[in-house]
């Protein structure tokens, strides 16, 4: 198990995870135009994706978009796109990926990271609360 920042060379694997994630939460699947826009945002460092590699494949991902918060008048982040392939769930990957992403955000100067979540997902919301 290895936790990494997802870069251009892993974009095709990220696209597959994004498609599975959107399908699971009932949102429209991203179009090629959406993916082109996402890749540009990643290249401009507007959004950072982090992932977990197991068995030589990207099996989990999450993102942090950086912004500015008037709550504390400092750099902030928004955590989203949290997805783990079903066969890799309940193995501790989620907690470690969350910790990895938050650690990286802190290294980037974020003082606060807000979590974006689909309101109906009460199980994930409770998991976030249990994991700080």
């Amino acid at each position: 198990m290895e936790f990494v920042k997802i870069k251009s060379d892993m974009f095709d694997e990220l696209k597959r995870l994004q498609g599975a994630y959107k399908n699971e939460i009932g949102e429209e699947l991203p179009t090629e135009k959406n993916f082109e826009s996402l890749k540009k945002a990643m290249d401009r460092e507007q959004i950072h994706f982090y992932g977990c590699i197991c068995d030589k494949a990207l099996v989990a991902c999450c993102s942090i978009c950086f912004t500015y918060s008037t709550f504390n008048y400092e750099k902030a982040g928004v955590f989203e796109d949290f997805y783990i392939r079903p066969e890799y769930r309940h193995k501790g990957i989620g907690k470690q990926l969350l910790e990895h992403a938050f650690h990286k955000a802190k290294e980037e100067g974020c003082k606060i990271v807000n979590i974006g979540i689909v309101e109906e997902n009460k199980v994930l919301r409770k998991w976030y609360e249990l994991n700080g």
Side-chain angles (χ1 to χ4, degrees), residues 24-36:
E24 188 172 295
I25 64 172
E27 290 185 4
E28 265 186 53
L29 295 179
T31 64
E32 278 307 310
K33 187 174 182 178
N34 294 143
F35 283 129
E36 288 172 21

Side-chain angles (χ1 to χ4, degrees), residues 69-85:
S69 172
T70 56
F71 176 75
N72 61 353
Y73 295 95
E74 296 188 73
K75 188 175 185 176
V78 178
F79 178 89
E80 295 181 309
D81 301 308
F82 189 54
Y83 180 75
I84 301 168
R85 286 183 13 201

Side-chain angles (χ1 to χ4, degrees), residues 8 13 19 21 23 25 27 43 45 54 61 97 104 125-126:
S8 296
E13 287 184 87
Y21 166 69
N23 187 54
I25 64 172
E27 290 185 4
D43 290 343
E45 303 252 332
C54 290
C61 68
L97 180 56
K104 292 297 183 182
R125 181 182 185 92
K126 185 168 180 68

Side-chain angles (χ1 to χ4, degrees), residues 113-126:
V113 177
N114 295 303
I115 297 175
I117 184 171
V118 177
E119 198 59 39
E120 296 81 28
N121 196 335
K122 295 182 187 328
V123 173
L124 184 57
R125 181 182 185 92
K126 185 168 180 68

Side-chain angles (χ1 to χ4, degrees), residues 51-128:
C52 178
I53 298 173
C54 290
D55 305 320
K56 299 180 183 177
L58 185 64
V59 301
C61 68
C62 65
S63 70
I64 296 183
C65 290
F66 295 106
T67 186
Y68 185 85
S69 172
T70 56
F71 176 75
N72 61 353
Y73 295 95
E74 296 188 73
K75 188 175 185 176
V78 178
F79 178 89
E80 295 181 309
D81 301 308
F82 189 54
Y83 180 75
I84 301 168
R85 286 183 13 201
E87 64 271 28
Y88 287 91
R89 294 177 185 167
H90 308 290
K91 299 178 187 293
I93 291 171
K95 182 174 181 157
Q96 290 179 67
L97 180 56
L98 181 74
E99 289 171 354
H100 178 78
F102 276 51
H103 175 77
K104 292 297 183 182
K106 205 175 219 182
E107 284 181 354
E108 290 283 336
C110 278
K111 302 297 182 190
I112 190 168
V113 177
N114 295 303
I115 297 175
I117 184 171
V118 177
E119 198 59 39
E120 296 81 28
N121 196 335
K122 295 182 187 328
V123 173
L124 184 57
R125 181 182 185 92
K126 185 168 180 68
W127 185 85
Y128 282 138

